[in-house]
Amino acid sequence: MHKLMMRLAKSMAYLGGAVLTLLIILTCISIAGRLLNGVFHGDLMERIAPGFSKWMTGWVGPVNGDFELVEAGVAFAIFAFLPLCQITAGHASVDVVANAFPRGVNRFLRMVTEVVFAAVLVLIAWRLGAGLASKYSNGETSFLLEFPVWWAYGISMIASVVAAIVGIYMGAVRTIEFFTGRILIWDGVEGEK
């Protein structure tokens, strides 16, 4: 089961990374277009080569609706990275006080943290589903590109459902570990004492 969950988490992270890479490229192209458009609109270019300047400003510029695509893509990427972060215990933690606790208390805290995190992920997926239904039914579109807003909700909800599934799995694993005293998934945090 762990191999399946790890493959699912890694697949989502790769997909999120690909989307994030495309968004970075899109942003760079848009910024370069905006910069070049400003150069070709400048007094110097209009004096040196007015025809070329006018021709270039006709098609060189920022990508139309780039911020809308970035907004939708980053939301998906965040949810796509959550499963891998969850299964590898990659979330930020403050262990200053926890290191002073006995092993049993730390296992209890890890169990509670994983169960609460799973519950929050399920809540997020549920509410994204409600938002998806709302955006789908009212037909809202983005301002510039006019793509249906529910598309962004849909891809984010798929990623959040995967994150919730992995969160539930990790909550179950940490609960079993707490009650049996065995380590089922070694992540380097357990066994430091």
Side-chain angles (χ1 to χ4, degrees):
M1 180 71 153
H2 185 67
K3 286 182 181 180
L4 173 68
M5 290 295 169
M6 185 61 87
R7 266 185 291 192
L8 184 62
K10 283 183 178 181
S11 297
M12 287 303 297
Y14 287 136
L15 190 56
V19 168
L20 205 53
T21 301
L22 291 173
L23 292 176
I24 290 167
I25 292 168
L26 171 74
T27 301
C28 290
I29 290 170
S30 187
I31 290 170
R34 189 173 286 120
L35 176 70
L36 287 173
N37 191 283
V39 167
F40 291 125
H41 268 102
D43 292 337
L44 179 64
M45 281 302 290
E46 289 183 355
R47 268 187 275 127
I48 295 173
F52 179 71
S53 174
K54 185 175 182 178
W55 178 70
M56 288 299 284
T57 56
W59 64 275
V60 172
V63 176
N64 187 32
D66 58 343
F67 65 91
E68 293 174 351
L69 295 171
V70 169
E71 182 180 39
V74 167
F76 168 77
I78 289 169
F79 287 114
F81 293 134
L82 276 176
L84 185 62
C85 193
Q86 187 71 19
I87 203 164
T88 59
H91 296 292
S93 63
V94 180
D95 297 332
V96 174
V97 178
N99 288 336
F101 295 146
R103 182 173 286 155
V105 172
N106 279 331
R107 281 190 178 169
F108 175 75
L109 290 174
R110 289 188 75 196
M111 176 190 70
V112 168
T113 302
E114 293 285 355
V115 168
V116 168
F117 210 125
V120 169
L121 290 171
V122 168
L123 177 68
I124 289 170
W126 171 49
R127 296 314 305 157
L128 269 173
L132 170 63
S134 172
K135 298 299 180 187
Y136 181 78
S137 67
N138 71 19
E140 183 178 342
T141 61
S142 65
F143 182 68
L144 293 174
L145 297 178
E146 296 183 355
F147 67 83
V149 174
W150 70 265
W151 290 356
Y153 275 78
I155 62 170
S156 295
M157 193 192 84
I158 291 168
S160 72
V161 166
V162 172
I165 290 168
V166 172
I168 291 168
Y169 167 73
M170 288 307 296
V173 165
R174 297 303 176 211
T175 301
I176 292 168
E177 286 180 348
F178 174 72
F179 285 111
T180 63
R182 294 182 305 131
I183 297 174
L184 300 177
I185 298 176
W186 182 262
D187 58 15
V189 177
E190 188 73 40
E192 294 175 353
K193 292 182 183 179

